[in-house]
Each structure stands twice: as C-alpha cells, then as structure tokens.
Amino acid sequence: MGDVAVVAGGDILQEKMEKEINHVLVVPFPLQGHINPLVQFSKRLVSKGLKVTLAVTKYTAKSMQDRPPATSSSISVEPISDGIQEGEIIPDEETYLDRIKVNVSKTLTDLIIRLNQSSCPPKFLIYDSIMPWALDVGQKLGLRGASFFTQAYSVNAIYYHFRRGEIKVPANSENVTVPPLPTLSVNDLPSFICDPNSDPALVDLLLSQFSNFQEADWVLNNSFDQLESEVVNWMSSQWRIKNIGPTVPSMFLDKRLEDDKDYGLSLFKPDADTCLTWLDSKQPGSVVYVSFGSLASLEGEQMIELARGLQMSGSHFLWVVRDLEWKLPASFIEETSDKGLVVSWSPQLEVLAHKSVGCFMTHCGWNSTLEALSLGVPMVAMPQWTDQPTNAKFVADVWKVGIRVKVNEGGMVSREEISECIKEIMEGEKGTEIRKNSEKWRDLARNAVDEGGSSDKNIDEFIAFVASN
Ligand code: UDP
C-alpha cells in the first residue's frame, strides 16, 4: 500500500483502497433482541477495519436515525422491506413470517445486485440464523455466508437434537438427557419442545435455523467459550462455529471502543432521565430492577402477584411495564410511590450498571441474561417461554448467578415466592455467594471480548477468513 500511495494518483489510490477494504453485509431479524447483537458485532468488525453495510427494515432504519449507533461512521445502513407498510398493523405471526421471507428475499437481492456493482462489493452475508433462506439469496449472488445465532449454545444444541428427532419428551417424564448438557427437567427445556403444537409457526422458525447451517461458511454465536465450555467443545468439534460475544456495548465490558456506550437502536423509547435520576437517589445495591424484555407479557393474575410480591419484598423497585394495559392492581402506583418507579421502557444497560441496582428480576431473554452476567448483577429468574427456561436453569444451577422462582400448581408464581427470592438475593446468605459468582462471571465475560480473549480471537479469525477469500 505504501508504494502504491507514492505512485498512484488520488482517484486511483482511493479506488484501490476501497477495493482492498473487506466489506460484509449484515442482516438482522427485525426484533430488538436480534438487532442488538448483530449491530454490536458490526461495530466490532468496523473497529477492526472491516466495512459493514447493515440491511434493516425501514421501520428499524428510522429508529436508528433517531439514535444512530455510536462508532457507526463506517456502518452504512440500507433499508430492506419486510412487506409491512407504514401504519399497517402487523398481521398474525404466520402471515408476517411468510411476508418477511418473500419481501426480504426480494429487497435483499436488489440490494446485493446494487452493491455488487459498486467499487467495493460485499464478500460475506452475515444473516440472522432465523432467516436461513438468506443464505441462498447471498450465495446465488456470489457472497459467502455466516449464520449468526442469537441464543445460548445449549439452546442451539437442544433445538438441533430435537429437529433430528433425538429428543422425545414422553408424557409425565421428569428429566431429559441431552449430552453434553447437564440433566434437564422438563421445565428447563425451551417451551416449544414440551408443547410443539402450542405455536407451530414459531416452532418451525426456531427449528429452521438448523436446516442449512452446515452450508454456511461460518457460524457465529452470541456467547463466550467459558460460559458453556462443554457444549461449545462438542459443537465446535463438528462445525466451524465460533463464539463472538457477549455483544454488549464495549464501554460496559472491555472499554476499548470509546464511543460504544449504547446499542444505538431502540424500537421503544426509553425513559432514561426519569430512571437514572430516580436511581441516583437510592442507596447502593438497594433496588430491584424488573423487566421481561420486549415480547413477553404477563397474564393479569400474574401481574397482580408480581406487583404485590415487589411490595412485600420491602425493596425499592424499578419496573418496566411495557404496556400499561397490563393490569396493575388499582392504585398500586400511588400506594408504592415511595418505593417504586414504573416505566414503559428503560435504558437497561445503564440501569444494570447503576450502583443502586442490587438485583435483576428477569425473564431470562438471552440478551438480558448476557447483560446481567457482563455487569455482574445477580438475577431472580422468572422465565416465560421459548429459550428462557433453559437460560434460567443455567443462571440458577450452572453459573449460580441467580435464583429461579418456583411456579405453583396453578401455574402461578405467588407473591410470597417473589418476595422471598428477592429477599434471599438482597439480604440472604445465598445472595452473598451469588454476588461473588456474578463478579467472577462479569470478569470472564469482559476477558472474552478484551484483547486476546477467546471471542476477540474468534472475531480476528473471522476477519482473516473474510480477507483471504
Ligand atoms: N431492553 C431495554 N429496555 C427495557 C427492556 C429491555 O433496553 O426496558 C433491552 C435489553 O437491554 C435487551 C433487549 O431489550 O438488550 C431484550 O432482549 P432479550 O433477549 O433479553 O429479550 P426479548 O426482548 O428478546 O424477549
């Protein structure tokens, strides 16, 4: 390059430099918990010299313009379409999934054709694993493919075996063995495995991740090696599958990317000032942060038990209630105004990093789990569906960074149980042990993405592969 710089004229040099940049195209599925890890991975690639184009639906692109991702100067954002028109109510799941496949395939094809005509065409398509058909789109147009999994390795292993008919859940069975995972009770399995007929469209979507992943040149996963070492060893002995996480913004982990303080994209508007000012007024470690992510919604009776359980625990609480249509007990907000704050969306990372937060009551979505692990916040695990029960099992029994609530015979988590679990973490003996473990995992998470850590090396390996192909 140095020689060329002397010989070549400005335009020629510019063109040559552009050609030499390795360009990848990244396509997340348009859900908050899927966009965040792919955007964060994109930032890491950019920080290591890759050019990234992020193809997102128009609605997602619009929310990125409101809060552009930091360190994104080299991330170009290109809109693709999921077939939903502005103002249109999102149809039922099955129709939406069909529409997204047809429309993303078409608009992604158009985008790749256009980018292929540029001076720096993309070499790789990094696509969300729940859009396995994107691999065909990219391969037909000359791109290599990397499937990006946004769930735990253990969950990958369970879906993989289930799809192959290797996991059967007999009626009334108590335990299931899925080597090399620890023995799992039926309640630890992803919800759809126990009841595949509960949501056939979603089951198909989740299992489809494994339909062609062996045909991708790379498989990337948002986890880190030490977290799930046995299952990582088993899977990586069979496929080129690499952990590159946790994909939490750098300033909450290794602090190497100075501007990376935020995911930079929120499909919902956070009540940041209200949350942080309120937290500032509380004692260190005194607040329970409660959130069930962007999708789950609690039934009416469960909402009441949760509200009363928070009240009974005596702790301060910051509770994300996404939709106030979810019924809180009458006058709950007024009654608890000296103890609690209820918001519709929070700046979750800043909240978890705040010194006043002593525990996170979570549904154990994979991003929330990784965020709590990365920030060393003990958890009360209250899983709802999909992969959350499996994540909760690992939180409570393998990593020992939290307590999982018990569900009673009526399928409810009682107010007493909620209150006891919170007290155990905030004040109990078990809480002290859990806090120590949380600090250990926080350090391991940070080391994984820091220079020379396992995920950092895997990212470098991926980049070297892109460059050499
Ligand atoms: N989140 C947030 N504010 C909230 C609740 C959630 O910023 O009030 C973010 C959270 O930090 C995480 C994502 O939304 O990155 C939720 O992803 P997760 O996988 O935990 O759950 P899902 O929404 O997919 O069920």
Side-chain angles (χ1 to χ4, degrees), residues 32-33 36 263 289 291 293-295 320 345-346 348 363 365-368 371 388:
Q32 189 74 60
N36 287 357
Y263 287 115
Y289 169 59
S291 163
S294 62
L295 298 169
V320 178
W345 193 248
S346 82
Q348 181 158 304
H363 69 315
W366 186 232
N367 293 288
S368 294
E371 289 162 10
Q388 297 154 18

PDB file of all heavy atoms in Angstrom, residues 32-33 36 263 289 291 293-295 320 345-346 348 363 365-368 371 388, ligand 1:
ATOM      1  N   GLN A  32     -36.009  -6.484  18.635  1.00  0.00           N
ATOM      2  CA  GLN A  32     -34.982  -5.824  19.454  1.00  0.00           C
ATOM      3  C   GLN A  32     -33.859  -6.776  19.877  1.00  0.00           C
ATOM      4  O   GLN A  32     -32.688  -6.452  19.742  1.00  0.00           O
ATOM      5  CB  GLN A  32     -35.645  -5.239  20.715  1.00  0.00           C
ATOM      6  CG  GLN A  32     -34.714  -4.363  21.523  1.00  0.00           C
ATOM      7  CD  GLN A  32     -34.466  -3.010  20.864  1.00  0.00           C
ATOM      8  OE1 GLN A  32     -35.392  -2.249  20.647  1.00  0.00           O
ATOM      9  NE2 GLN A  32     -33.229  -2.729  20.524  1.00  0.00           N
ATOM     10  N   GLY A  33     -34.259  -7.958  20.373  1.00  0.00           N
ATOM     11  CA  GLY A  33     -33.270  -8.899  20.895  1.00  0.00           C
ATOM     12  C   GLY A  33     -32.403  -9.524  19.805  1.00  0.00           C
ATOM     13  O   GLY A  33     -31.433 -10.220  20.104  1.00  0.00           O
ATOM     14  N   ASN A  36     -29.936  -5.986  18.318  1.00  0.00           N
ATOM     15  CA  ASN A  36     -28.837  -5.559  19.200  1.00  0.00           C
ATOM     16  C   ASN A  36     -27.555  -6.361  18.974  1.00  0.00           C
ATOM     17  O   ASN A  36     -26.499  -5.772  18.734  1.00  0.00           O
ATOM     18  CB  ASN A  36     -29.250  -5.651  20.680  1.00  0.00           C
ATOM     19  CG  ASN A  36     -30.230  -4.561  21.082  1.00  0.00           C
ATOM     20  OD1 ASN A  36     -30.564  -3.694  20.282  1.00  0.00           O
ATOM     21  ND2 ASN A  36     -30.702  -4.591  22.306  1.00  0.00           N
ATOM     22  N   TYR A 263     -26.534   0.492  22.511  1.00  0.00           N
ATOM     23  CA  TYR A 263     -26.813  -0.301  21.318  1.00  0.00           C
ATOM     24  C   TYR A 263     -27.083   0.613  20.120  1.00  0.00           C
ATOM     25  O   TYR A 263     -26.915   0.224  18.982  1.00  0.00           O
ATOM     26  CB  TYR A 263     -28.022  -1.201  21.542  1.00  0.00           C
ATOM     27  CG  TYR A 263     -27.733  -2.369  22.459  1.00  0.00           C
ATOM     28  CD1 TYR A 263     -28.359  -2.496  23.691  1.00  0.00           C
ATOM     29  CD2 TYR A 263     -26.836  -3.358  22.091  1.00  0.00           C
ATOM     30  CE1 TYR A 263     -28.097  -3.559  24.532  1.00  0.00           C
ATOM     31  CE2 TYR A 263     -26.563  -4.440  22.924  1.00  0.00           C
ATOM     32  CZ  TYR A 263     -27.193  -4.533  24.141  1.00  0.00           C
ATOM     33  OH  TYR A 263     -26.923  -5.591  24.969  1.00  0.00           O
ATOM     34  N   TYR A 289     -34.347  -4.281  39.859  1.00  0.00           N
ATOM     35  CA  TYR A 289     -34.779  -3.863  38.523  1.00  0.00           C
ATOM     36  C   TYR A 289     -35.586  -5.021  37.930  1.00  0.00           C
ATOM     37  O   TYR A 289     -35.142  -6.177  37.956  1.00  0.00           O
ATOM     38  CB  TYR A 289     -33.549  -3.550  37.661  1.00  0.00           C
ATOM     39  CG  TYR A 289     -33.874  -3.367  36.190  1.00  0.00           C
ATOM     40  CD1 TYR A 289     -34.763  -2.381  35.777  1.00  0.00           C
ATOM     41  CD2 TYR A 289     -33.304  -4.189  35.217  1.00  0.00           C
ATOM     42  CE1 TYR A 289     -35.073  -2.220  34.434  1.00  0.00           C
ATOM     43  CE2 TYR A 289     -33.611  -4.029  33.871  1.00  0.00           C
ATOM     44  CZ  TYR A 289     -34.501  -3.043  33.489  1.00  0.00           C
ATOM     45  OH  TYR A 289     -34.819  -2.894  32.159  1.00  0.00           O
ATOM     46  N   SER A 291     -37.694  -6.494  34.593  1.00  0.00           N
ATOM     47  CA  SER A 291     -38.080  -6.338  33.188  1.00  0.00           C
ATOM     48  C   SER A 291     -38.231  -7.709  32.547  1.00  0.00           C
ATOM     49  O   SER A 291     -37.483  -8.636  32.849  1.00  0.00           O
ATOM     50  CB  SER A 291     -37.015  -5.535  32.429  1.00  0.00           C
ATOM     51  OG  SER A 291     -37.196  -5.720  31.039  1.00  0.00           O
ATOM     52  N   GLY A 293     -38.367  -7.956  29.092  1.00  0.00           N
ATOM     53  CA  GLY A 293     -37.941  -7.841  27.701  1.00  0.00           C
ATOM     54  C   GLY A 293     -38.967  -7.203  26.800  1.00  0.00           C
ATOM     55  O   GLY A 293     -39.914  -6.551  27.253  1.00  0.00           O
ATOM     56  N   SER A 294     -38.784  -7.423  25.505  1.00  0.00           N
ATOM     57  CA  SER A 294     -39.585  -6.684  24.528  1.00  0.00           C
ATOM     58  C   SER A 294     -40.795  -7.452  24.019  1.00  0.00           C
ATOM     59  O   SER A 294     -41.613  -6.913  23.287  1.00  0.00           O
ATOM     60  CB  SER A 294     -38.698  -6.300  23.343  1.00  0.00           C
ATOM     61  OG  SER A 294     -38.207  -7.468  22.718  1.00  0.00           O
ATOM     62  N   LEU A 295     -40.930  -8.733  24.370  1.00  0.00           N
ATOM     63  CA  LEU A 295     -42.001  -9.534  23.778  1.00  0.00           C
ATOM     64  C   LEU A 295     -42.981 -10.113  24.788  1.00  0.00           C
ATOM     65  O   LEU A 295     -44.189 -10.118  24.560  1.00  0.00           O
ATOM     66  CB  LEU A 295     -41.403 -10.699  22.970  1.00  0.00           C
ATOM     67  CG  LEU A 295     -40.535 -10.325  21.781  1.00  0.00           C
ATOM     68  CD1 LEU A 295     -39.808 -11.555  21.257  1.00  0.00           C
ATOM     69  CD2 LEU A 295     -41.390  -9.725  20.673  1.00  0.00           C
ATOM     70  N   VAL A 320     -40.220  -2.251  34.540  1.00  0.00           N
ATOM     71  CA  VAL A 320     -40.611  -1.924  33.165  1.00  0.00           C
ATOM     72  C   VAL A 320     -41.929  -2.642  32.858  1.00  0.00           C
ATOM     73  O   VAL A 320     -41.973  -3.869  32.779  1.00  0.00           O
ATOM     74  CB  VAL A 320     -39.533  -2.361  32.150  1.00  0.00           C
ATOM     75  CG1 VAL A 320     -39.986  -2.044  30.718  1.00  0.00           C
ATOM     76  CG2 VAL A 320     -38.197  -1.695  32.452  1.00  0.00           C
ATOM     77  N   TRP A 345     -40.286   1.687  29.303  1.00  0.00           N
ATOM     78  CA  TRP A 345     -39.059   1.145  28.697  1.00  0.00           C
ATOM     79  C   TRP A 345     -37.891   1.828  29.386  1.00  0.00           C
ATOM     80  O   TRP A 345     -37.979   3.021  29.697  1.00  0.00           O
ATOM     81  CB  TRP A 345     -39.046   1.412  27.187  1.00  0.00           C
ATOM     82  CG  TRP A 345     -37.997   0.651  26.406  1.00  0.00           C
ATOM     83  CD1 TRP A 345     -36.900   1.182  25.787  1.00  0.00           C
ATOM     84  CD2 TRP A 345     -37.956  -0.750  26.125  1.00  0.00           C
ATOM     85  NE1 TRP A 345     -36.179   0.190  25.158  1.00  0.00           N
ATOM     86  CE2 TRP A 345     -36.797  -1.010  25.343  1.00  0.00           C
ATOM     87  CE3 TRP A 345     -38.766  -1.834  26.463  1.00  0.00           C
ATOM     88  CZ2 TRP A 345     -36.439  -2.281  24.895  1.00  0.00           C
ATOM     89  CZ3 TRP A 345     -38.410  -3.103  26.013  1.00  0.00           C
ATOM     90  CH2 TRP A 345     -37.258  -3.321  25.236  1.00  0.00           C
ATOM     91  N   SER A 346     -36.840   1.089  29.630  1.00  0.00           N
ATOM     92  CA  SER A 346     -35.715   1.692  30.363  1.00  0.00           C
ATOM     93  C   SER A 346     -34.448   1.647  29.517  1.00  0.00           C
ATOM     94  O   SER A 346     -34.373   0.864  28.578  1.00  0.00           O
ATOM     95  CB  SER A 346     -35.459   0.893  31.645  1.00  0.00           C
ATOM     96  OG  SER A 346     -34.667  -0.255  31.335  1.00  0.00           O
ATOM     97  N   GLN A 348     -31.757  -0.134  29.636  1.00  0.00           N
ATOM     98  CA  GLN A 348     -31.458  -1.281  30.509  1.00  0.00           C
ATOM     99  C   GLN A 348     -29.980  -1.407  30.907  1.00  0.00           C
ATOM    100  O   GLN A 348     -29.674  -1.718  32.050  1.00  0.00           O
ATOM    101  CB  GLN A 348     -31.952  -2.573  29.852  1.00  0.00           C
ATOM    102  CG  GLN A 348     -31.687  -3.802  30.717  1.00  0.00           C
ATOM    103  CD  GLN A 348     -32.581  -4.962  30.386  1.00  0.00           C
ATOM    104  OE1 GLN A 348     -33.799  -4.839  30.409  1.00  0.00           O
ATOM    105  NE2 GLN A 348     -31.997  -6.094  30.080  1.00  0.00           N
ATOM    106  N   HIS A 363     -36.887 -12.139  32.774  1.00  0.00           N
ATOM    107  CA  HIS A 363     -37.497 -13.280  32.066  1.00  0.00           C
ATOM    108  C   HIS A 363     -36.412 -14.192  31.487  1.00  0.00           C
ATOM    109  O   HIS A 363     -36.719 -15.222  30.921  1.00  0.00           O
ATOM    110  CB  HIS A 363     -38.412 -12.758  30.963  1.00  0.00           C
ATOM    111  CG  HIS A 363     -37.696 -12.088  29.818  1.00  0.00           C
ATOM    112  ND1 HIS A 363     -36.675 -11.172  29.988  1.00  0.00           N
ATOM    113  CD2 HIS A 363     -37.846 -12.198  28.467  1.00  0.00           C
ATOM    114  CE1 HIS A 363     -36.234 -10.760  28.814  1.00  0.00           C
ATOM    115  NE2 HIS A 363     -36.930 -11.365  27.870  1.00  0.00           N
ATOM    116  N   GLY A 365     -34.435 -13.555  28.871  1.00  0.00           N
ATOM    117  CA  GLY A 365     -34.131 -13.462  27.445  1.00  0.00           C
ATOM    118  C   GLY A 365     -32.613 -13.512  27.329  1.00  0.00           C
ATOM    119  O   GLY A 365     -31.909 -13.113  28.262  1.00  0.00           O
ATOM    120  N   TRP A 366     -32.092 -13.996  26.212  1.00  0.00           N
ATOM    121  CA  TRP A 366     -30.649 -14.231  26.152  1.00  0.00           C
ATOM    122  C   TRP A 366     -29.852 -12.931  26.267  1.00  0.00           C
ATOM    123  O   TRP A 366     -28.813 -12.881  26.917  1.00  0.00           O
ATOM    124  CB  TRP A 366     -30.289 -15.013  24.894  1.00  0.00           C
ATOM    125  CG  TRP A 366     -28.844 -15.424  24.845  1.00  0.00           C
ATOM    126  CD1 TRP A 366     -27.966 -15.203  23.827  1.00  0.00           C
ATOM    127  CD2 TRP A 366     -28.108 -16.152  25.848  1.00  0.00           C
ATOM    128  NE1 TRP A 366     -26.731 -15.739  24.130  1.00  0.00           N
ATOM    129  CE2 TRP A 366     -26.794 -16.321  25.369  1.00  0.00           C
ATOM    130  CE3 TRP A 366     -28.426 -16.658  27.110  1.00  0.00           C
ATOM    131  CZ2 TRP A 366     -25.798 -16.984  26.105  1.00  0.00           C
ATOM    132  CZ3 TRP A 366     -27.445 -17.312  27.838  1.00  0.00           C
ATOM    133  CH2 TRP A 366     -26.152 -17.463  27.330  1.00  0.00           C
ATOM    134  N   ASN A 367     -30.356 -11.847  25.666  1.00  0.00           N
ATOM    135  CA  ASN A 367     -29.617 -10.579  25.783  1.00  0.00           C
ATOM    136  C   ASN A 367     -29.615 -10.085  27.224  1.00  0.00           C
ATOM    137  O   ASN A 367     -28.581  -9.676  27.745  1.00  0.00           O
ATOM    138  CB  ASN A 367     -30.220  -9.502  24.881  1.00  0.00           C
ATOM    139  CG  ASN A 367     -30.025  -9.832  23.425  1.00  0.00           C
ATOM    140  OD1 ASN A 367     -28.921  -9.759  22.910  1.00  0.00           O
ATOM    141  ND2 ASN A 367     -31.093 -10.245  22.747  1.00  0.00           N
ATOM    142  N   SER A 368     -30.770 -10.134  27.868  1.00  0.00           N
ATOM    143  CA  SER A 368     -30.840  -9.675  29.258  1.00  0.00           C
ATOM    144  C   SER A 368     -29.923 -10.527  30.132  1.00  0.00           C
ATOM    145  O   SER A 368     -29.239 -10.007  31.024  1.00  0.00           O
ATOM    146  CB  SER A 368     -32.278  -9.751  29.775  1.00  0.00           C
ATOM    147  OG  SER A 368     -33.079  -8.840  29.065  1.00  0.00           O
ATOM    148  N   GLU A 371     -26.391  -9.508  29.497  1.00  0.00           N
ATOM    149  CA  GLU A 371     -26.141  -8.163  30.045  1.00  0.00           C
ATOM    150  C   GLU A 371     -25.925  -8.245  31.554  1.00  0.00           C
ATOM    151  O   GLU A 371     -24.993  -7.651  32.094  1.00  0.00           O
ATOM    152  CB  GLU A 371     -27.310  -7.230  29.697  1.00  0.00           C
ATOM    153  CG  GLU A 371     -27.334  -6.872  28.214  1.00  0.00           C
ATOM    154  CD  GLU A 371     -28.684  -6.329  27.731  1.00  0.00           C
ATOM    155  OE1 GLU A 371     -29.562  -6.038  28.563  1.00  0.00           O
ATOM    156  OE2 GLU A 371     -28.854  -6.217  26.500  1.00  0.00           O
ATOM    157  N   GLN A 388     -36.169 -19.182  27.363  1.00  0.00           N
ATOM    158  CA  GLN A 388     -35.929 -18.600  28.687  1.00  0.00           C
ATOM    159  C   GLN A 388     -35.814 -19.633  29.811  1.00  0.00           C
ATOM    160  O   GLN A 388     -34.962 -19.479  30.699  1.00  0.00           O
ATOM    161  CB  GLN A 388     -37.013 -17.552  28.982  1.00  0.00           C
ATOM    162  CG  GLN A 388     -36.961 -16.392  27.992  1.00  0.00           C
ATOM    163  CD  GLN A 388     -38.277 -15.689  27.807  1.00  0.00           C
ATOM    164  OE1 GLN A 388     -39.184 -15.822  28.627  1.00  0.00           O
ATOM    165  NE2 GLN A 388     -38.416 -14.932  26.722  1.00  0.00           N
TER     166      GLN A 388
HETATM  167  N1  UDP B   1     -34.314  -3.653  26.938  1.00  0.00           N
HETATM  168  C1  UDP B   1     -34.157  -2.295  27.143  1.00  0.00           C
HETATM  169  N2  UDP B   1     -35.061  -1.669  27.962  1.00  0.00           N
HETATM  170  C2  UDP B   1     -36.064  -2.317  28.587  1.00  0.00           C
HETATM  171  C3  UDP B   1     -36.195  -3.716  28.382  1.00  0.00           C
HETATM  172  C4  UDP B   1     -35.305  -4.342  27.556  1.00  0.00           C
HETATM  173  O1  UDP B   1     -33.258  -1.665  26.611  1.00  0.00           O
HETATM  174  O2  UDP B   1     -36.836  -1.670  29.295  1.00  0.00           O
HETATM  175  C5  UDP B   1     -33.360  -4.332  26.023  1.00  0.00           C
HETATM  176  C6  UDP B   1     -32.420  -5.237  26.782  1.00  0.00           C
HETATM  177  O3  UDP B   1     -31.286  -4.490  27.209  1.00  0.00           O
HETATM  178  C7  UDP B   1     -32.106  -6.307  25.768  1.00  0.00           C
HETATM  179  C8  UDP B   1     -33.346  -6.348  24.877  1.00  0.00           C
HETATM  180  O4  UDP B   1     -34.076  -5.174  25.138  1.00  0.00           O
HETATM  181  O5  UDP B   1     -30.968  -5.955  25.005  1.00  0.00           O
HETATM  182  C9  UDP B   1     -34.244  -7.534  25.175  1.00  0.00           C
HETATM  183  O6  UDP B   1     -33.674  -8.687  24.676  1.00  0.00           O
HETATM  184  P1  UDP B   1     -33.850 -10.078  25.411  1.00  0.00           P
HETATM  185  O7  UDP B   1     -33.151 -11.098  24.571  1.00  0.00           O
HETATM  186  O8  UDP B   1     -33.431 -10.011  26.820  1.00  0.00           O
HETATM  187  O9  UDP B   1     -35.396 -10.333  25.445  1.00  0.00           O
HETATM  188  P2  UDP B   1     -36.554 -10.346  24.320  1.00  0.00           P
HETATM  189  O10 UDP B   1     -36.997  -8.944  24.199  1.00  0.00           O
HETATM  190  O11 UDP B   1     -35.936 -10.866  23.034  1.00  0.00           O
HETATM  191  O12 UDP B   1     -37.573 -11.241  24.913  1.00  0.00           O
END
